[in-house]
Amino acid sequence: MRVKTDEGFEDLRAIWMEDENIKMIDQRLLPHELRFHTVSDHHEVKEAIKKMVIRGAPSIGAAAAYGIAQAILKGDDLKETAEVIKSARPTAYDLFYAVDHMMENGQEKPKITAEAYVDSVVSKCKAIGDHGGKMIDDGMKILTHCNAGALATVDHGTALAPIRHANSEGKDIFVFVDETRPRLQGSMLTAWELFNEDISHAVIVDNAAGHFMHRGEVDMVIVGTDRVAANGDVANKIGTYEKAVIAKENDIPFYVALPVTTFDPDTKSGTDIPIEEREGEEVSKVFSKYIMPKNSPVMNPAFDVTLSKYITGFITEKGIFSPDKIGKLL
Ligand code: MRU
């Protein structure tokens, strides 16, 4: 991803491996500060995923792949390592896929296998951009929720990849960025990525999405996903479901962008997808200050499920598919 610096531009990935250490952009500090976080064992990998130093399904998968490679290089107990890393967060399927992939294929050449896994994630995202970018016409306004950009996928993004592609072709596009309470991945991360790429955008509060859709100002919605069930139901950041319903009500196409590895063929429907419940202080406090009575209870599901009937299509590295074609795709 392109990042503006005092000297010009830098091309960065969200996560990479240096010798036996895993390095990542500390996503908790953006957009104020670009700082790198170093992880040196699997307990630290788990903490980095759990505390959202690194986040977004494909980037979580990359952290897991590097974490297993690191453990193999260090001679750690692999069964324990896999269990610890898999317990970091429950919803993103990429986490489980990446751990299993490395356990099966990484024993002989751990670092090379992890690098190959991560490079394949990046090239899939690039292909998602190529396919999805063709659907975006000059002058289109696109709404996105959360951050499904390069930070969430190592590079390019899923939802942001078609947007990056359309922008690189010189199309005049505009992005509505939902701020995405409570962690603000939209305003703090997506807006930062779009700013760095000089892509025209505005941050809106989550409650404003329906207003702009109803006024005919949104041509298309594109989001990412943490897991897609076999029937095409999609788990994504809390608030995605209501955006999909409002999009359908207003005849606005609603696309989900993902690498095929985010499809979970063993989970039958959305109700079977485990939904992470995160700590209440993400809601009750803003920048360490309570914004509600301290003792009021909080509910904080991190994801919701959008039923496949609200989804126009899946933008994948293999092309664009309607939900009824998932069987064929898998
Ligand atoms: O809690 P997060 O920030 O990890 O949630 C991220 C999302 O919901 C993304 O939309 C999803 O992981 C897809 S990332 C390409």
Side-chain angles (χ1 to χ4, degrees), residues 27 49 52 54-60 89 92 94 125 145-149 151-153 157-160 180 183 185 189 223-227 235-238 240 257-259 262 276 278 302-303:
Q27 300 192 27
I49 295 173
M52 296 173 67
I54 183 97
R55 40 132 318 268
S59 281
I60 290 173
R89 292 184 78 184
D94 305 53
C125 288
H145 190 67
C146 194
N147 172 264
L151 290 165
T153 66
T158 51
L160 290 196
T180 318
R183 293 288 299 228
Q185 290 95 329
L189 305 178
V223 297
T225 173
D226 279 75
R227 190 188 295 227
N236 192 46
K237 182 52 54 197
I238 191 78
T240 302
L258 73 161
T262 306
E276 178 182 14
R278 291 188 64 86
F303 302 96

Side-chain angles (χ1 to χ4, degrees), residues 84-311:
V84 167
I85 293 180
K86 280 186 175 181
S87 70
R89 292 184 78 184
T91 306
Y93 186 60
D94 305 53
L95 171 66
F96 306 95
Y97 181 91
V99 170
D100 292 344
H101 174 82
M102 286 299 296
M103 295 293 278
E104 266 171 45
N105 305 294
Q107 311 281 347
E108 268 183 34
K109 295 178 179 162
K111 198 170 169 196
I112 290 175
T113 311
E115 295 293 6
Y117 173 81
V118 175
D119 285 347
S120 83
V121 168
V122 171
S123 52
K124 284 171 191 165
C125 288
K126 173 91 177 40
I128 289 168
D130 296 344
H131 291 296
K134 290 188 194 122
M135 290 190 320
I136 300 177
D137 297 329
D138 197 42
M140 266 194 174
K141 293 182 177 175
I142 301 135
L143 183 134
T144 192
H145 190 67
C146 194
N147 172 264
L151 290 165
T153 66
V154 186
D155 209 351
H156 300 294
T158 51
L160 290 196
I163 290 168
R164 280 194 157 91
H165 184 99
N167 179 63
S168 72
E169 287 189 325
K171 292 176 187 167
D172 178 23
I173 53 170
F174 179 85
V175 185
F176 287 97
V177 180
D178 290 345
E179 66 175 351
T180 318
R181 275 277 289 157
R183 293 288 299 228
L184 303 173
Q185 290 95 329
S187 49
M188 301 185 90
L189 305 178
T190 299
W192 181 78
E193 287 194 36
L194 296 174
F195 162 79
N196 276 291
E197 300 269 353
D198 291 319
I199 299 175
S200 176
H201 66 281
V203 175
I204 59 171
V205 297
D206 296 318
N207 306 339
H211 166 78
F212 288 109
M213 288 199 233
H214 179 62
R215 285 167 62 128
E217 294 192 34
V218 177
D219 298 303
M220 182 187 285
V221 180
I222 313 180
V223 297
T225 173
D226 279 75
R227 190 188 295 227
V228 180
N231 71 342
D233 292 350
V234 163
N236 192 46
K237 182 52 54 197
I238 191 78
T240 302
Y241 170 54
E242 59 189 43
K243 306 297 177 282
V245 174
I246 303 169
K248 186 154 184 121
E249 170 72 16
N250 290 282
D251 287 326
I252 298 166
F254 186 94
Y255 286 96
V256 177
L258 73 161
V260 171
T261 44
T262 306
F263 283 105
D264 173 9
D266 297 327
T267 297
K268 262 170 52 190
S269 77
T271 45
D272 303 312
I273 299 176
I275 299 294
E276 178 182 14
E277 180 74 27
R278 291 188 64 86
E279 60 184 54
E281 288 198 344
E282 289 187 347
V283 175
S284 60
K285 287 181 171 177
V286 169
F287 295 121
S288 313
K289 257 195 133 153
Y290 279 101
I291 53 162
M292 54 181 274
K294 210 174 168 169
N295 296 323
S296 288
V298 166
M299 293 180 189
N300 186 19
F303 302 96
D304 62 22
V305 170
T306 299
L307 303 179
S308 68
K309 67 176 178 180
Y310 294 110
I311 294 161

